[in-house]
Amino acid sequence: MTTAFSRAWARIAALLPGRDDLAEIRRDPRRDLLAGLTVAIVALPLALGFGVSSGLGAEAGLATAVVAGALAAVFGGSNLQVSGPTGAMTVVLVPIVAKHGPSGVLTVGVMAGVMLVGLAALRAGKYMQYVPAPVVEGFTLGIACVIGLQQIPNALGVPKPEGDRVLVMTWRALEEFAKAPNWTALGFAVAVAAVMLLGARWRPTVPFSILAVIAATLVAQLAHLEAAKPIGELPSGLPAPSLSFLDLGSLGALLAPAVAVAALAALESLLSASVADGMTVGQKHDPDRELLGQGLANIAAPLFGGVPATGAIARTAVNVRTGANSRLAALTHAAVLAVIVFAAAPLVSKIPLAALAGVLLATAIRMVEVGSLRAMARATRSDALILVLTAVATLALDLVYAVIIGLVVAGALALRAVAKQARFDQVPLDRGDHSAEEHALLAEHIVAYRIDGPLFFAAAHRFLLELTEVADVRVVILRMSRVSTMDATGALVLKDAVDKLHRRGILVLASGIRPGQLQVLDSVGALDLLRRKGREYATTPEAIRGARDHLEMTGVLAAVPAQPTTATSEEAVQ
């Protein structure tokens, strides 16, 4: 036990910050400070909006942006990653709030953080590369739809309907709006979203989100528009860290939601870090260290009333585009938001909820990369199917089920494609050292098959069907030098085929079995059966001579002195 703990700690210690990080921070601090300030301006309305959408309030979003943003910046594996509350995480948190309340969300955050630290210790970050691109694109499309639909109640100025199914809640909100339309709230939401979308095309570097929110707040206050409901009172500072929300008796019921949150945090954070790498030259994140940073951030944020956090793709992209070079930019972003929490809480509390809804509606629209979706849909039918299934599952079920469904379908389609590469072809006997007459006689009683590609569970049964339907011959030669891989199912199917052919009086000879495949065959007893009821040879010419000897012994072929072998080609040896 002590040894295992020591090993785990050694793995974690290897991922902690070092001198190289400090050297990066000192390289160009002015650019990093400016980038961090810009990101903070962009992040403020998003943090407020996602906090409100999660059900824990705007103060929870700000606490997450400050605490998780700072810790992930220090301990994370990317120099450019910006972390905080995100739309994808909000989608997962809404049903948790509805079922377990705010304390359940905070507990889930701590549990997920511990899981992420464990994944870092297990060096699990490298497995992110195995998530197919159509799954990521479908996942992103589904999230964008859910985020947009979640904003409908605030955008229409109606109370948020009860429940955790976004489609049902949206329908109920539309019914409430139809009964008593709130055109003021709708106007604010549409105006803010329009300013953000049109402004981004006109001047991409200008933070139109905060400008639009400020303008909407000023209009609402100066015109005394009571229909534009504000955020409400915010605390002037972060609360003292506390574990009072923790109920040990509820940990079992919260385990599944915690796994979902941890999986999403890992997926989105590593994806965001990869995006940041792709936007720069020379930057490369450490996936295991990134998991550690996100784990520590998610353990700490709930202590201050914050929701679970992940790496934020949109804020990270802004950070890169504004010239950030080191993690000082992400730290600056967190520090600026902390100053706003302490100094400007009364002003922030007056922001209309409809304006924040407009910010998130525009964010959801900008998440959808039409060109990327079109390219993915045109690539192959399989890619299009995976994309659509993942997106629909995200909208109808939840994010974790959506990713699981996408991965399962992608894996099944990939296995089918690999299985199609497996070939089982009858090939003519090599002429070798036989006369024309003898070769014709051998060909009458001997059939040779060449197996190309993988012999595994997805293709093995087709191989068994074709092999056991072989015509009336005396010897079957299996040329196996081109078998790329073999699993236990393939070995068992080969064993079954040898047994069935033996009962028909047909001798099975195998040639070119690789050392690794010998181990698989031996593990299921196929190798022993092959040697008892058949034979194994290193090369195909040796197998043909063995078949000839068998035919002579059984009286089918008269004994003829063999001549020196002349076959030298690679085909003859195989």
Side-chain angles (χ1 to χ4, degrees):
M1 184 72 178
T2 305
T3 304
F5 178 79
S6 299
R7 290 177 180 174
W9 170 247
R11 291 180 177 180
I12 294 296
L15 299 175
L16 295 177
R19 293 182 178 178
D20 292 342
D21 300 312
L22 186 60
E24 288 288 340
I25 289 175
R26 291 175 174 174
R27 182 172 298 175
D28 195 350
R30 184 176 299 178
R31 290 184 63 182
D32 288 329
L33 291 172
L34 180 60
L37 176 61
T38 304
V39 175
I41 293 172
V42 173
L44 176 60
L46 294 176
L48 294 169
F50 288 136
V52 171
S53 296
S54 70
L56 270 71
E59 61 273 19
L62 283 174
T64 304
V66 173
V67 177
L71 285 174
V74 173
F75 295 98
S78 170
N79 287 331
L80 306 176
Q81 178 93 288
V82 178
S83 300
T86 63
M89 187 60 74
T90 301
V91 173
V92 175
L93 297 181
V94 168
I96 299 176
V97 174
K99 189 173 182 179
H100 301 284
S103 62
V105 171
L106 301 180
T107 303
V108 162
V110 174
M111 295 172 66
V114 173
M115 293 177 188
L116 288 170
V117 173
L119 290 174
L122 294 173
R123 297 291 195 269
K126 59 186 177 183
Y127 295 108
M128 170 60 193
Q129 61 185 322
Y130 298 114
V131 179
V135 173
V136 175
E137 292 291 342
F139 173 78
T140 305
L141 175 61
I143 288 173
C145 293
V146 174
I147 293 172
L149 292 175
Q150 282 181 341
Q151 309 317 309
I152 297 301
N154 284 336
L156 298 179
V158 300
K160 186 176 181 180
E162 295 184 0
D164 57 1
R165 294 297 178 188
V166 67
L167 293 174
V168 175
M169 294 170 62
T170 301
W171 180 254
R172 291 175 180 171
L174 291 172
E175 289 179 333
E176 289 295 323
F177 182 79
K179 293 177 184 177
N182 185 342
W183 298 109
T184 301
L186 181 59
F188 273 122
V190 172
V192 170
V195 168
M196 285 182 61
L197 295 173
L198 296 175
R201 291 189 175 187
W202 178 49
R203 293 287 175 84
T205 57
V206 177
F208 283 99
S209 58
I210 193 67
L211 296 178
V213 167
I214 291 173
T217 305
L218 289 174
V219 170
Q221 292 299 309
L222 295 176
H224 303 289
L225 299 176
E226 295 183 0
K229 183 180 178 182
I231 291 175
E233 186 177 354
L234 292 174
S236 298
L238 295 176
S242 171
L243 278 172
S244 59
F245 60 84
L246 193 61
D247 179 10
L248 297 179
S250 66
L251 296 184
L254 294 173
L255 180 60
V259 171
V261 169
L264 177 59
L267 178 66
E268 189 172 14
S269 298
L270 294 178
L271 175 62
S272 176
S274 298
V275 170
D277 290 347
M279 296 176 66
T280 60
V281 177
Q283 292 283 354
K284 185 172 178 61
H285 74 283
D286 182 335
D288 298 314
R289 184 176 171 186
E290 184 61 32
L291 291 178
L292 174 63
Q294 295 299 332
L296 296 176
N298 279 288
I299 291 173
L303 305 183
F304 296 87
V307 297
T310 75
I313 296 177
R315 276 157 274 180
T316 300
V318 172
N319 195 38
V320 175
R321 292 194 189 104
T322 49
N325 288 310
S326 74
R327 55 193 72 227
L328 177 61
L331 272 171
T332 302
H333 137 270
V336 171
L337 291 178
V339 171
I340 293 173
V341 170
F342 282 97
L347 297 176
V348 173
S349 66
K350 299 182 185 300
I351 296 175
L353 288 172
L356 292 181
V359 171
L360 299 187
L361 283 170
T363 301
I365 293 172
R366 291 167 64 176
M367 285 176 66
V368 180
E369 296 285 348
V370 178
S372 180
L373 291 175
R374 186 183 294 117
M376 201 67 62
R378 290 177 176 175
T380 65
R381 291 182 180 178
S382 296
D383 290 329
L385 175 63
I386 295 167
L387 188 153
V388 171
L389 280 178
T390 307
V392 171
T394 302
L395 188 59
L397 302 174
D398 64 43
L399 300 187
V400 176
Y401 282 127
V403 172
I404 292 173
I405 290 171
L407 290 175
V408 169
V409 173
L413 293 174
L415 284 175
R416 188 184 71 167
V418 172
K420 285 183 177 180
Q421 296 177 1
R423 296 179 59 85
F424 182 64
D425 300 319
Q426 183 177 348
V427 293
L429 292 179
D430 298 317
R431 182 67 176 269
D433 55 356
H434 312 295
S435 64
E437 295 79 5
E438 184 182 24
H439 182 269
L441 188 58
L442 289 174
E444 182 181 347
H445 297 287
I446 304 172
V447 62
Y449 289 97
R450 184 174 62 215
I451 308 172
D452 287 304
L455 183 60
F456 70 134
F457 69 93
H461 294 287
R462 178 166 58 90
F463 158 78
L464 174 63
L465 182 64
E466 294 183 23
L467 184 58
T468 53
E469 290 182 351
V470 65
D472 188 17
V473 295
R474 299 300 182 95
V475 181
V476 170
I477 298 177
L478 298 179
R479 302 171 62 169
M480 301 180 62
S481 63
R482 295 189 181 182
V483 175
S484 58
T485 186
M486 181 187 299
D487 67 356
T489 303
L492 285 171
V493 165
L494 182 62
K495 176 183 177 182
D496 193 19
V498 171
D499 188 52
K500 288 182 177 180
L501 291 174
H502 177 74
R503 279 180 283 171
R504 289 177 52 192
I506 300 174
L507 178 69
V508 178
L509 308 180
S511 68
I513 302 177
R514 298 180 181 181
Q517 296 159 7
L518 285 172
Q519 182 179 353
V520 178
L521 290 168
D522 189 41
S523 67
V524 299
L527 189 61
D528 179 64
L529 181 71
L530 179 63
R531 288 170 176 171
R532 283 190 291 108
K533 298 184 177 182
R535 296 170 194 169
E536 174 206 350
Y537 295 92
T539 65
T540 299
E542 291 176 356
I544 294 174
R545 286 198 294 272
R548 179 178 178 275
D549 294 341
H550 174 73
L551 295 178
E552 289 178 357
M553 289 176 58
T554 55
V556 175
L557 182 68
V560 178
Q563 302 174 10
T565 301
T566 58
T568 58
S569 68
E570 181 182 355
E571 178 69 19
V573 173
Q574 295 174 341

